[in-house]
Amino acid sequence: MTSALLVIVAIAYLAGAFLVVTALAKVLGAWATSWRTRRHPEPVDAGLQHQAAAAMAAVAALVNVTPPATDVVAYLGAPTGDDARPVGDGGLAVTRFRAGRPTVVFAQAALTGLSPAAVQSLAAHELAHVIRRERSSAAARYGWLVGYLALVLAGAALTVAALVAAPRLAGPALLATMSAAVAFLALQVAFDRREEIAADRFAVDLTRDLEAAAELMRFYETYVAKPLPAGALARVWAQLELRWFATHPDPRARLAAMRRHLVDEPSD
């Protein structure tokens, strides 16, 4: 019985450590992606720059706010390397907040591959992030990070204290810390997904154009979302990543949520 219990505990430790490392890698990878546009300094046609600025100005005028600055880059993140998928792994657009000034950065493929209406839908989605950020406090934006660091430090201190005072409790303390860290990151991913859905609803409320939103989601699913691998084990792992670590919901789920929102809550 003791040996079996030790095996179970060891497996739990390894699984917990693996999940923590994977979750941290995903978070750090998403953070790094937002900075990788600087690696692609290829000049972008001035017409695309004007198109991006015009789309943002059009949606900002609908809510009577000052449009954020815009920029266009060849790729957001690293190029996929696939000629059939002329995008980067950073997606179609991202909103950056540097020195208190928001800038919406569009990928070139979004402006060349989407209709003007779909580009406006994308711009409206990013404008939602800008508005929600401006209306939130610094405590709300960074509270999760402070909480996560406090949790990890408290768990490390508890584990060290257990090693000194009661070595038998060090294992359970470490397991509890890892479990809490994974749960905390899962909550953050859930919050990110909620923010994406909220931005989608804002966009479809603003444009009232579900067809443009559908075009945008189809484009995202075809050119940005990673296809599932062929192997059974790799496919299961990819689905696990999408289920637990992806900050953006599935495009079809996003479109369904927008459709329900537009039908159930029509504007006055």
Side-chain angles (χ1 to χ4, degrees):
M1 177 66 72
T2 302
S3 298
L5 182 60
L6 289 175
V7 170
I8 292 173
V9 171
I11 292 174
Y13 286 166
L14 292 174
F18 177 74
L19 287 174
V20 169
V21 170
T22 302
L24 286 175
K26 288 293 180 182
V27 171
L28 292 175
W31 176 79
T33 295
S34 68
W35 290 85
R36 273 186 287 182
T37 57
R38 287 181 290 181
R39 298 183 184 179
H40 308 290
E42 298 91 338
V44 174
D45 183 80
L48 295 181
Q49 298 279 1
H50 175 74
Q51 182 181 347
M56 186 57 68
V59 294
L62 294 176
V63 285
N64 195 28
V65 298
T66 301
T70 58
D71 192 14
V72 182
V73 295
Y75 299 99
L76 277 170
T80 60
D82 185 352
D83 292 339
R85 292 162 57 87
V87 297
D89 59 8
L92 300 177
V94 65
T95 301
R96 289 180 174 170
F97 298 90
R98 293 178 180 171
R101 183 186 180 191
T103 300
V104 178
V105 185
F106 291 86
Q108 178 174 287
L111 300 172
T112 57
L114 292 169
S115 68
V119 171
Q120 284 198 8
S121 181
L122 177 60
H125 176 96
E126 296 302 322
L127 181 63
H129 289 310
V130 173
I131 293 175
R132 289 175 70 85
R133 167 73 175 241
E134 290 177 344
R135 293 176 180 175
S136 65
S137 65
R141 294 196 298 269
Y142 301 110
W144 78 269
L145 179 59
V146 173
Y148 183 76
L149 292 176
L151 173 66
V152 171
L153 291 175
L158 178 63
T159 302
V160 171
L163 281 172
V164 174
R168 291 183 179 180
L169 298 178
L174 180 60
L175 181 60
T177 300
M178 289 189 298
S179 301
V182 171
F184 204 97
L185 288 175
L187 287 175
Q188 178 59 29
V189 169
F191 176 79
D192 289 341
R193 291 178 179 175
R194 189 189 70 175
E195 287 294 297
E196 293 302 321
I197 292 295
D200 286 339
R201 290 178 174 176
F202 175 91
V204 78
D205 263 341
L206 197 60
T207 64
R208 313 303 296 179
D209 193 340
L210 192 58
E211 289 302 317
E215 179 190 346
L216 176 58
M217 291 298 104
R218 286 193 300 267
F219 190 90
Y220 187 93
E221 185 173 24
T222 302
Y223 295 107
V224 179
K226 294 180 180 178
L228 291 176
L233 185 59
R235 181 179 290 267
V236 170
W237 175 245
Q239 290 175 334
L240 180 65
E241 284 187 305
L242 291 174
R243 176 67 180 84
W244 293 105
F245 300 120
T247 57
H248 285 61
D250 178 79
R252 284 169 288 184
R254 292 173 64 182
L255 181 59
M258 284 187 278
R259 181 176 288 111
R260 288 194 302 270
H261 178 72
L262 200 59
V263 171
D264 296 342
E265 299 183 29
S267 61
D268 296 332

